[in-house]
Amino acid sequence: MQKPDNHSVRQFYLNQLNRETPAQASHQSLGSGALIGQSFRIMLRHPLPVLGPAFLVCLAALLLTGVLVGFEAALDLDEQTFGQTSFVADITSGALDLTVFAIIAAVLAQLTRDAKLDRPLRLRGYVPPALAAAVPIALLNGFLAIVFVMILVPAFLAGIFTLSTTVIVLFGLGMLVLGIWGYAVVAVMPPSVVIEGAGFRGLHRSAALTRSYRWPMALAIVPVWVCSVIPALATAYPVDLLMTMETPAGLGAAIVLYSAANALGVSLLSILVSLIYTRLREIKEGVGLDQIASVFD
């Protein structure tokens, strides 16, 4: 098959960003189970290319966060009250967390595409697009975090002030359901930014692609998210134990272990999201992964 590298074909796919995804596209199954299986297969087949860059990014961010707010706080071992650290340090630490996710998601969106096509993995080639996409991804995630807090705080205060256990329980369940559904709406924003160059239109693009598939997406995302949390929970006690040694070796081992657990969790979820993005484009736009790779390489 000849590579569709002419300008008109490329422009056709770029124009997808400027229109709504067809609402009347024939409804097909998302295939949640198959997507979960593919996520684990890609992770197991390419552990070093997947986890290596993710680990390095998590490690660098953790070291910077440790310098800003202290390593006990950076490792989630020290509960801090608001204002205990400087406002600039708190904001910078939060920005680093968003940037870590953005870079890892951007790298793995490209890696997942190549892995699924059985093409050679080109880690160096992923870096420039990932860095370019990291800014809009991080800023859009920051915007979503602000929106979530604006919704969460008033509702939480209402439950507290009523002193009603029923209200608090209902609030918790409602926020859980809303959070799962809300994440499904914006989940494919990172791959749409890095693969399509959607930029700050990534949220709109994700909302259009995920329409009518948000609950099937949740069926895939929730179990993988649970699996991604397990490494962090499993390493919490060893990290705490290493920190109690109060030695440079103990601190170094704790930092490495914590970074590895974070890299594993973020990577697995990012791979799944990239596969969901590809599947949604196949269903809604008839664009196969080989076409995406050919046009945007």
Side-chain angles (χ1 to χ4, degrees):
M1 179 178 178
Q2 185 177 2
K3 181 177 180 179
D5 55 357
N6 63 80
H7 176 74
S8 61
V9 175
R10 179 180 175 84
Q11 191 60 46
F12 171 80
Y13 288 111
L14 290 174
N15 287 340
Q16 301 290 335
L17 300 175
N18 298 316
R19 67 173 181 83
E20 293 285 347
T21 299
Q24 276 71 37
S26 59
H27 190 85
Q28 303 177 41
S29 172
L30 183 66
S32 300
L35 294 174
I36 293 173
Q38 290 175 23
S39 301
F40 281 97
R41 281 196 296 273
I42 290 175
M43 174 77 77
L44 294 174
R45 287 179 181 175
H46 309 284
L48 289 180
V50 169
L51 296 177
F55 171 75
L56 292 176
V57 172
C58 288
L59 179 62
L62 180 58
L63 292 173
L64 290 173
T65 303
V67 171
L68 288 170
V69 300
F71 283 103
E72 288 194 353
L75 294 169
D76 296 326
L77 300 176
D78 181 28
E79 294 185 2
Q80 295 189 4
T81 58
F82 181 76
Q84 186 172 342
T85 57
S86 71
F87 178 75
V88 174
D90 290 334
I91 294 297
T92 305
S93 176
L96 283 173
D97 290 339
L98 293 173
T99 304
V100 164
F101 173 80
I103 294 175
I104 294 174
V107 168
L108 292 182
Q110 301 169 83
L111 185 149
T112 302
R113 176 195 63 189
D114 287 343
K116 192 174 179 185
L117 288 171
D118 291 324
R119 303 199 315 185
L121 304 184
R122 305 161 295 167
L123 292 179
R124 290 185 180 180
Y126 302 151
V127 174
L131 294 178
V135 173
I137 293 173
L139 291 178
L140 289 174
N141 279 330
F143 169 75
L144 291 173
I146 293 172
V147 171
F148 180 74
V149 170
M150 292 176 64
I151 296 173
L152 177 65
V153 171
F156 180 74
L157 291 178
I160 293 297
F161 287 137
T162 60
L163 298 179
S164 170
T165 303
T166 301
V167 171
I168 295 174
V169 170
L170 291 176
F171 162 76
L173 293 175
M175 289 306 300
L176 178 62
V177 173
L178 179 62
I180 293 172
W181 182 87
Y183 179 73
V185 173
V186 300
V188 300
M189 176 267 290
S192 70
V193 171
V194 69
I195 293 177
E196 298 183 40
F200 293 102
R201 295 170 294 177
L203 291 179
H204 172 76
R205 179 65 170 148
S206 179
L209 279 173
T210 60
R211 188 177 295 117
S212 302
Y213 284 91
R214 289 157 190 170
W215 288 119
M217 287 173 60
L219 291 177
I221 289 171
V222 169
V224 171
W225 177 81
V226 171
C227 291
S228 72
V229 171
I230 290 175
L233 296 177
T235 56
Y237 178 72
V239 167
D240 191 10
L241 189 63
L242 288 167
M243 288 295 291
T244 60
M245 296 171 58
E246 298 184 354
T247 63
L251 174 61
I255 290 173
V256 169
L257 187 59
Y258 187 90
S259 298
N262 279 352
L264 181 59
V266 174
S267 296
L268 185 59
L269 192 58
S270 295
I271 291 172
L272 174 66
V273 166
S274 297
L275 292 172
I276 291 174
Y277 162 80
T278 302
R279 177 61 179 151
L280 289 174
R281 290 203 67 186
E282 289 173 349
I283 293 172
K284 293 201 164 189
E285 299 171 352
V287 178
L289 187 58
D290 55 342
Q291 294 171 290
I292 295 173
S294 296
V295 173
F296 289 97
D297 277 349

